[in-house]
């Protein structure tokens, strides 16, 4: 599943080809995405000028002079910039054709991804309105996490994976950030001290920042905006390393299940 770093990598990849261009037309080959595309979807986008491409959590926001295209990649979606004459292949559901002769092509084999056309303030859209802060933006820090944790009895790992607390901390990044901060994932969020929450916020920002720098972690079905598979993988300390020696202390990494997700930690480094 594309995580926040892959979505940010996609944004950086597609934005230069989109910003400043006009949408010449839209080709819809498959309406049945996670939410069906409305009949007038293509007509409403045609002719719009694209101002900029932003990201909020794992949504891409293509802002135009008449509304915003809200795109989510779901489990297996990708957005690529191609010459519009390149013949579509299986699962190429939508083309946003630009006045430059290129197109933004949405491919999604499993169709858990979505496209919405939003007029008005996109931040007020029901999909975005209740999201917590961005982990890479000012305002996200350990004091904020500590304050929010007062009311949470859940384990700290589930706390930081809650999108209403902070967006974009998926399973890989939660495990890795807790390792870097030296915090046992099962610790109740409200029992983590302010000082350790500061270390955790710093670790979350660092693991996501590192992942963006290398273009996102490896995903077997993830394709970069330039069409290359996402083979890059940052050095992982605990994720999917059960039984292997900790890179710091050589203690075998443990795997447990928390909230139906696998959690990995070092029983010696994380207390
Ligand atoms: Zn260790």
């Amino acid at each position: 599943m594309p995580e926040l770093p892959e979505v940010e990598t996609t944004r950086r990849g597609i934005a230069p080809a989109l910003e400043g261009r006009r949408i010449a037309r839209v080709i819809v080959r498959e309406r049945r995405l996670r939410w069906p595309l409305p009949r007038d979807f293509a007509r409403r986008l045609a002719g719009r000028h694209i101002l900029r491409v932003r990201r909020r959590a794992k949504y891409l926001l293509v802002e135009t002079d008449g509304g915003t295209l809200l795109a989510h990649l779901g489990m297996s979606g990708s957005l690529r910039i191609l010459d519009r004459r390149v013949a579509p292949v299986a699962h190429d559901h939508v083309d946003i054709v630009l006045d430059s002769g290129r197109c933004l092509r949405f491919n999604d084999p499993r169709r858990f991804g979505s496209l919405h056309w939003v007029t008005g303030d996109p931040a007020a859209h029901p999909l975005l309105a209740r999201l917590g802060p961005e982990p890479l933006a000012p305002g996200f820090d350990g004091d904020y996490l500590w304050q929010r944790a007062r009311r949470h009895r859940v384990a700290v790992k589930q706390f930081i994976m809650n999108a209403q607390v902070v967006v974009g901390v998926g399973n890989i990044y939660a495990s890795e950030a807790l390792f870097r901060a030296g915090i046992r994932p099962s610790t109740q969020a409200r029992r983590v001290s302010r000082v350790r929450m500061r270390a955790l916020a710093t670790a979350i920002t660092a693991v996501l920042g590192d992942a963006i720098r290398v273009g996102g972690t490896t995903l077997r079905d993830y394709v970069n905006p330039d069409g290359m598979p996402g083979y890059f993988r940052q050095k992982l300390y605990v994720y999917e390393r059960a039984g292997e020696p900790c890179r710091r202390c050589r203690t075998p990494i443990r795997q447990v299940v928390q909230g139906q997700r696998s959690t990995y930690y070092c029983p010696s480094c994380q207390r």
Side-chain angles (χ1 to χ4, degrees):
M1 184 190 306
E3 297 279 353
L4 185 145
E6 286 83 23
V7 178
E8 177 61 22
T9 301
T10 296
R11 187 193 72 76
R12 293 178 184 186
I14 65 176
L18 295 176
E19 290 174 351
R21 306 312 322 189
R22 191 176 66 84
I23 298 175
R25 64 197 175 101
V26 176
I27 301 165
V28 177
R29 301 185 190 88
E30 175 59 84
R31 292 184 186 282
R32 293 169 299 165
L33 305 181
R34 179 166 184 179
W35 288 284
L37 288 179
R39 291 268 159 211
D40 62 353
F41 180 80
R43 185 157 39 84
R44 295 181 74 184
L45 272 72
R48 301 298 182 190
H49 282 90
I50 298 171
L51 306 173
R52 59 179 184 154
V53 183
R54 292 195 301 127
R55 181 187 56 73
R56 176 74 174 106
K58 295 205 291 183
Y59 289 91
L60 289 166
L61 286 73
V62 181
E63 296 183 349
T64 79
D65 56 356
T68 301
L69 176 66
L70 197 59
H72 195 284
L73 301 178
M75 306 286 285
S76 58
S78 66
L79 285 166
R80 292 159 71 188
I81 299 290
L82 296 166
D83 187 292
R84 66 179 171 81
R85 292 166 299 186
V86 174
V89 297
H91 314 299
D92 279 345
H93 303 314
V94 177
D95 282 3
I96 312 278
V97 183
L98 306 168
D99 60 354
S100 61
R102 298 208 278 176
C103 75
L104 177 68
R105 186 163 285 177
F106 179 69
N107 178 291
D108 189 1
R110 297 177 67 179
R111 286 193 276 121
F112 282 105
S114 64
L115 299 173
H116 285 89
W117 179 246
V118 181
T119 53
D121 180 10
H125 191 275
L127 291 169
L128 304 185
R130 297 180 66 204
L131 293 175
E134 288 287 325
L136 299 169
F140 173 72
D141 58 24
D143 291 333
Y144 161 79
L145 277 185
W146 185 80
Q147 286 292 347
R148 282 297 301 261
R150 299 305 87 210
R151 290 178 275 128
H152 285 264
R153 286 175 180 276
V154 296
V156 63
K157 178 169 179 255
Q158 278 145 304
F159 172 70
I160 59 174
M161 288 181 68
N162 179 347
Q164 291 182 27
V165 172
V166 56
V167 300
V169 184
N171 201 30
I172 301 174
Y173 303 106
S175 291
E176 292 297 309
L178 285 162
F179 175 82
R180 291 198 195 193
I183 298 170
R184 185 76 61 103
S186 56
T187 310
Q188 263 195 30
R190 60 180 184 159
R191 299 203 186 282
V192 178
S193 72
R194 189 187 281 250
V195 169
R196 300 183 87 206
M197 277 300 196
R198 287 180 183 152
L200 181 56
T202 301
I204 289 170
T205 304
V207 291
L208 290 170
D210 286 353
I212 291 168
R213 270 187 289 284
V214 297
T217 39
T218 300
L219 292 159
R220 284 160 201 91
D221 53 2
Y222 172 69
V223 178
N224 284 327
D226 59 4
M228 297 297 288
Y231 282 138
F232 313 100
R233 172 164 258 190
Q234 67 188 128
K235 187 171 183 179
L236 298 176
Y237 284 91
V238 289
Y239 187 76
E240 288 190 342
R241 296 195 66 242
E244 292 177 47
C246 172
R247 297 193 198 279
R248 280 202 189 133
C249 75
R250 315 303 295 168
T251 303
I253 299 298
R254 269 189 209 159
Q255 177 182 5
V256 293
V257 175
Q258 264 185 303
Q260 290 138 15
R261 307 295 300 274
S262 279
T263 292
Y264 303 86
Y265 69 97
C266 171
S268 168
C269 293
Q270 293 173 260
R271 301 279 178 183

